[in-house]
Amino acid sequence: MRLRKRLTRCLPAASILLVLCGIPAWPQNQTPPATPSQAATPPAAAAAPSLTAPLALKDANPPSSDDLAKGDPGGTLTGTVNDVAVSDAKKGLTLGDAVNQIGQNKVAINFVWTLVAGFLVMFMQAGFAIVETGLCRAKNASHTMMMNFMVYGFGLFAYWVCGFAFQMGGVGATANLGGTAPLSSEYTVNFLGKTWGLFGTHGFFLTQGGTYDVAVMVLFLFQMVFMDTATTIVTGAAAERWKYVAFAISTFFLGAITYPFFANWAWGGGWLSQLGANFGLGHGYCDFAGSGVVHAVGGLTGLAVAMLVGPRLGKYNRNGSPNAIPGHDMVLVLTGCFILAFGWFGFNPGSTLGASGNGALRIGSIAVNTMLAGCTGSFGALLYMWIRYGKPDASMSGNGLLAGLVAITAPSGFVNTVGAAIIGLVAGVLVCLSVEFFDRVAKVDDPVGAISVHGANGLWGVISVGLFADGKSNYGGSWNGVPGSVTGLFYGDPGQLIAQLVGVATLLGFVFAASFVFNWVVDVLVGQRVSPETELEGLDVPEMGALGYPEFVLKVHREQAPITGIGAAVEATT
Amino acid sequence: MKITGLLLAIVGWLIPVLGLSLTSSNAARLTLCLIGIAVCLVGILGVLNRAFLQNAIWKQ
């Protein structure tokens, strides 16, 4: 039955294919049924080609075995009708085989696109690691790198156990991936006369609920690297004083609970995505690639942890005035920014979950928007710092690039290039203002600017969808179940801006609060902050047992913090 | 103080959410959203963070 539906859907495309191959899909002299009265008559259906009838292969001019034996240096003989999978070898190629191959080709293109985009996003972990490490002091290099390294493992494990199920367990079929139908169970409650999706219940361990499925695996990989991006943001905000065990527990919670819940509400068919269908607010909360879901979640969790652990020793004087604590390697920082900008081409264009069908060809526009916003973001930050302090600051230029990329992440699929450039420029200035605010007014110590880059600009990106979405995108005719294109306030739909603001309030009121409460509990149970002695010593030896840069070993006071673990083993052999 | 700040953040979230069913007017909903976000920010940065600053490590 399913095969029959699939074949029926593909019939028009197959007809076009046959016409191109010189085989008439309909008799030349027949008029296609157009009116209801005509449609009631059977002749058209009777004339439809049989899907099981063998096709005449000679019309496709397949290359002979002799031709193929000579090789194909020009690439004109490879990939022909001979490569179409045949379901019944005795019968030979049928129309059904041809249309099935068309469908599989579409899904294959989308699988490859989504996987490669996911691989790019995974590589962003390297970018985050060296940006954060470069912005920290050399005595904490190993600790900072190890947080960024193991965040991948801790987060992945938590997400595999339950995070993915909570997030995507009720998302339903994903058209571009040709399936994910087993992800069909969303826990909902009835409230205010509407149905509110809260979390998914299929996909625990990627086996429960029939989720041992190829399309589910592709979706898992892509969503997992997004979650890992959120978790790695937190390590920057709490760097140089965060106890490693507290970091491990906190990361597990973020990957298992906080991130998946908000991501379900935004992407998994949850209540935020249904604000359009339920309350008439545009297309509901729209976050194309995760300014809110990924970056604001990471940035706000970072704010919660940074508050709990407090500022680094020496960051503030007794009168509250801040001291600059420069990072140890600007080359690492800017190289990491470039790696992140490269990975962002997986982040945003990859979020179409395909390159074929349902408006996915917009990937070109999304990639250019991403590029432009990063450019104007670094430009805005550079200009601000140059005008205000007289020098074009390198680290803030890097943060400006990242801020522009963060801000364009949510709107990248819905705006034009002018909107993207403005969004990025605002982000570049906003990150500088935000860094100054947290540094001087709020006195929240954030060594790498993660709260400003990802938190503040994540929220700005969410809001900018409600302002700049131009109503030109069309991903299969609807978004979040609402027909038409996402349109912001500047293009005539104030409801979309309201939906985005509800999302902002949810990020502040739910994500921050949940992260704060959990990390507060961790603080009570195991402590979030290392001892002052450890902090002064540098976290590398006391926490990790080895220095990031062994040449600096003479600066370590062995009596206070003896080298342990692998570091001790290395010492013993030298 | 810390719990008050936390509660303010949560209340600020609930204001626009509950406001969705109170009115269908875009202007009213927009106003409720802005009020809610302001309450959230006051709770997080104005109350909760201030509570931490009272016993900040650099004052000790």
Side-chain angles (χ1 to χ4, degrees), chain B residues 26-59:
Chain B
N26 275 338
R29 284 174 166 177
L30 186 61
T31 306
L32 286 173
C33 282
L34 294 175
I35 291 172
I37 291 170
V39 171
C40 282
L41 291 174
V42 167
I44 295 170
L45 296 173
V47 180
L48 184 59
N49 189 47
R50 185 161 292 184
F52 278 103
L53 289 181
Q54 281 178 351
N55 299 311
I57 195 164
W58 42 270
K59 287 182 176 175

Side-chain angles (χ1 to χ4, degrees), chain A residues 191-192 196 275 279 281 307 311 313 316-318 320 442-444 494 498 501 505-506 509 512 516-517 520, chain B residues 2 6 9-10 13 16-18 20-21 26 29-30 33 37 40-41 44-45 48-49 52-53 57-60:
Chain A
F191 181 58
L192 302 175
W196 298 59
L275 289 177
F279 295 99
L281 295 178
M307 279 183 181
L313 294 175
Y316 292 103
N317 301 313
R318 282 193 180 276
K443 301 192 193 307
V444 175
I498 296 169
L501 291 175
T506 306
F512 176 85
F516 185 87
V517 169
W520 202 0
Chain B
K2 290 175 184 172
L6 207 57
I10 295 169
W13 166 40
V17 173
L18 297 177
L20 292 174
S21 62
N26 275 338
R29 284 174 166 177
L30 186 61
C33 282
I37 291 170
C40 282
L41 291 174
I44 295 170
L45 296 173
L48 184 59
N49 189 47
F52 278 103
L53 289 181
I57 195 164
W58 42 270
K59 287 182 176 175
Q60 296 166 12

Side-chain angles (χ1 to χ4, degrees), chain A residues 519-543:
Chain A
N519 282 288
W520 202 0
V521 173
V522 173
D523 193 28
V524 171
L525 295 179
V526 300
Q528 291 273 5
R529 187 177 179 129
V530 297
S531 69
E533 293 77 20
T534 298
E535 192 179 339
L536 290 172
E537 196 72 43
L539 275 61
D540 280 5
V541 174
E543 284 277 299

Side-chain angles (χ1 to χ4, degrees), chain A residues 172-190:
Chain A
T174 307
N176 276 356
L177 299 180
T180 72
L183 300 172
S184 57
S185 180
E186 177 84 356
Y187 180 82
T188 61
V189 294
N190 287 314

Side-chain angles (χ1 to χ4, degrees), chain A residues 82-213:
Chain A
N82 290 337
D83 298 301
V84 178
V86 175
S87 57
D88 184 346
K90 288 181 185 172
K91 193 182 286 182
L93 180 65
T94 64
L95 181 56
D97 293 331
V99 294
N100 276 334
Q101 186 70 57
I102 293 170
Q104 190 167 71
N105 284 356
K106 175 200 163 188
V107 173
I109 290 167
N110 293 343
F111 268 32
V112 172
W113 170 256
T114 305
L115 286 172
V116 171
F119 303 154
L120 284 176
V121 178
M122 185 269 176
F123 190 57
M124 288 172 72
Q125 298 289 320
F128 278 115
I130 61 174
V131 165
E132 291 180 12
T133 304
L135 285 170
C136 292
R137 286 165 291 183
K139 65 180 181 179
N140 299 311
S142 177
H143 184 265
T144 309
M145 281 299 287
M146 269 299 286
M147 285 201 295
N148 280 277
F149 183 73
M150 282 312 296
V151 80
Y152 184 70
F154 294 148
L156 197 165
F157 186 76
Y159 199 65
W160 169 69
V161 170
C162 62
F164 179 74
F166 287 145
Q167 179 185 332
M168 303 304 277
V171 72
T174 307
N176 276 356
L177 299 180
T180 72
L183 300 172
S184 57
S185 180
E186 177 84 356
Y187 180 82
T188 61
V189 294
N190 287 314
F191 181 58
L192 302 175
K194 308 287 182 186
T195 301
W196 298 59
L198 296 183
F199 56 89
T201 60
H202 272 185
F204 296 98
F205 298 96
L206 283 182
T207 51
Q208 176 262 345
T211 48
Y212 186 5
D213 172 88

Side-chain angles (χ1 to χ4, degrees), chain A residues 479-534:
Chain A
W479 190 268
N480 284 339
V482 180
S485 304
V486 179
T487 308
L489 178 69
F490 297 157
Y491 294 85
D493 186 1
Q496 189 60 53
L497 178 61
I498 296 169
Q500 301 304 112
L501 291 175
V502 173
V504 169
T506 306
L507 284 160
L508 292 169
F510 169 76
V511 172
F512 176 85
S515 294
F516 185 87
V517 169
F518 181 78
N519 282 288
W520 202 0
V521 173
V522 173
D523 193 28
V524 171
L525 295 179
V526 300
Q528 291 273 5
R529 187 177 179 129
V530 297
S531 69
E533 293 77 20
T534 298

